[in-house]
Amino acid sequence: YPYFNTVDNDVAEYLYCYASSAANSGNMYTYIAMPAIDSTQYQITDMMVSFRAKAGTISTYYDQRLYVGVSTDPNDPSTFVAVDTLDLNASTNWVSFDELDFSSYTGSGKYVTFLVRPVILPSNSGTYAYSTIYVDDIELDVIPTCRRPMDIHTTDVTATTMTLAWTERSNATNWEIEYGPMGFVPGTGTTVAANTNPYTITGLTANTNYDFYVTSLCSTTDHSRPARVLYFSSACYYSL
């Protein structure tokens, strides 16, 4: 482990990471080390990673967590230092993680690494733990000056309107929102200029699933990449 799997219905292929361990010894793990960052071009603290991940199973006995960090030696997991710990215990649905950065890392490693290590939860009286996590769509890039918005969510939904809110990670006070029917191709949807957060979109069709993309406009020349697509459904409309 890990290895490529091509049997999932919603993606062509993904990395399958499985690890098992006796009790909480932590002596069994699976890790994915990316190619070394060229330090003549960039430092590891200049980098960020975006990807999707999900748990293979949900259990009250075993913790499903993905550790993201940096390794000094890709052949020696003991050199791994975690920068972020991602909780995947909520469901087996794919979850997008956008622009996780390594600016807090203080070591000398050059390898961005994903690590899976099984942990027994207090509710488990057994002595064996396992963890199954899938990872896909890994993108490694330089931290931009204008960051993607994150935590996009709805605060109010009616039959024809929807209020979106998000967390701004740069200094933007203006945003571009593009939306359309679920599955639309970005660049072909309806675009609105938003100068408030939250922002209410009007003129939606009742009982319809929509995709939304939000872009931070930090200046006239510095824009973020669009935040990853989210799926929201406008409320049903009943006429009596």
Side-chain angles (χ1 to χ4, degrees), residues 56-68:
T57 58
I58 300 299
S59 173
T60 58
Y61 301 123
Y62 314 115
D63 206 14
Q64 303 289 350
R65 294 182 185 272
L66 178 63
Y67 302 88
V68 183

Side-chain angles (χ1 to χ4, degrees), residues 187-202:
T188 65
T190 300
T191 300
V192 295
N195 56 12
T196 62
N197 176 19
Y199 183 84
T200 299
I201 296 174
T202 62

Side-chain angles (χ1 to χ4, degrees), residues 24 51 137 147 150 152 159-160 164 176 213 216 236:
N24 286 328
F51 57 94
D137 295 342
R147 304 289 296 272
M150 63 182 296
I152 302 172
T160 58
L164 293 180
E176 181 182 271
Y213 294 85
S216 291
C236 296

Side-chain angles (χ1 to χ4, degrees), residues 44-107:
I44 192 71
T45 51
D46 297 329
M47 307 306 294
M48 67 180 187
V49 66
S50 301
F51 57 94
R52 297 198 305 159
K54 70 174 183 176
T57 58
I58 300 299
S59 173
T60 58
Y61 301 123
Y62 314 115
D63 206 14
Q64 303 289 350
R65 294 182 185 272
L66 178 63
Y67 302 88
V68 183
V70 181
S71 295
T72 304
D73 182 349
N75 298 308
D76 182 2
S78 68
T79 66
F80 172 79
V81 175
V83 173
D84 210 337
T85 302
L86 308 177
D87 187 342
L88 297 173
N89 290 289
S91 76
T92 56
N93 295 326
W94 286 101
V95 180
S96 294
F97 298 96
D98 288 330
E99 298 185 355
L100 300 184
D101 67 67
F102 302 94
S103 58
S104 63
Y105 178 71
T106 58

Side-chain angles (χ1 to χ4, degrees), residues 11-220:
V11 289
E13 60 184 15
Y14 52 83
L15 284 167
Y16 172 91
C17 305
Y18 173 84
S20 61
S21 179
N24 286 328
S25 64
N27 58 359
M28 294 295 292
Y29 35 74
T30 293
Y31 67 99
I32 305 165
M34 301 187 69
I37 301 299
D38 183 352
S39 59
T40 65
Q41 299 292 322
Y42 303 104
Q43 300 302 311
I44 192 71
T45 51
D46 297 329
M47 307 306 294
M48 67 180 187
V49 66
S50 301
F51 57 94
R52 297 198 305 159
K54 70 174 183 176
T57 58
I58 300 299
S59 173
T60 58
Y61 301 123
Y62 314 115
D63 206 14
Q64 303 289 350
R65 294 182 185 272
L66 178 63
Y67 302 88
V68 183
V70 181
S71 295
T72 304
D73 182 349
N75 298 308
D76 182 2
S78 68
T79 66
F80 172 79
V81 175
V83 173
D84 210 337
T85 302
L86 308 177
D87 187 342
L88 297 173
N89 290 289
S91 76
T92 56
N93 295 326
W94 286 101
V95 180
S96 294
F97 298 96
D98 288 330
E99 298 185 355
L100 300 184
D101 67 67
F102 302 94
S103 58
S104 63
Y105 178 71
T106 58
S108 59
K110 300 178 182 179
Y111 301 87
V112 172
T113 305
F114 300 84
L115 185 139
V116 175
R117 177 185 291 123
V119 176
I120 295 178
L121 296 175
S123 57
N124 185 2
S125 59
T127 59
Y128 186 81
Y130 73 93
S131 185
T132 303
I133 291 177
Y134 306 94
V135 181
D136 193 35
D137 295 342
I138 301 172
E139 299 177 4
L140 185 63
D141 207 344
V142 177
I143 299 172
T145 55
C146 190
R147 304 289 296 272
R148 277 178 179 168
M150 63 182 296
D151 299 329
I152 302 172
H153 59 282
T154 58
T155 60
D156 188 33
V157 179
T158 72
T160 58
T161 67
M162 185 176 299
T163 300
L164 293 180
W166 55 88
T167 299
E168 170 59 32
R169 294 195 287 175
S170 295
N171 60 352
T173 56
N174 291 278
W175 301 267
E176 181 182 271
I177 302 174
E178 184 180 8
Y179 66 93
M182 186 171 67
F184 85 97
V185 177
T188 65
T190 300
T191 300
V192 295
N195 56 12
T196 62
N197 176 19
Y199 183 84
T200 299
I201 296 174
T202 62
L204 301 176
T205 302
N207 196 27
T208 302
N209 291 323
Y210 285 93
D211 290 351
F212 292 87
Y213 294 85
V214 181
T215 301
S216 291
L217 308 179
C218 295
S219 72
T220 56

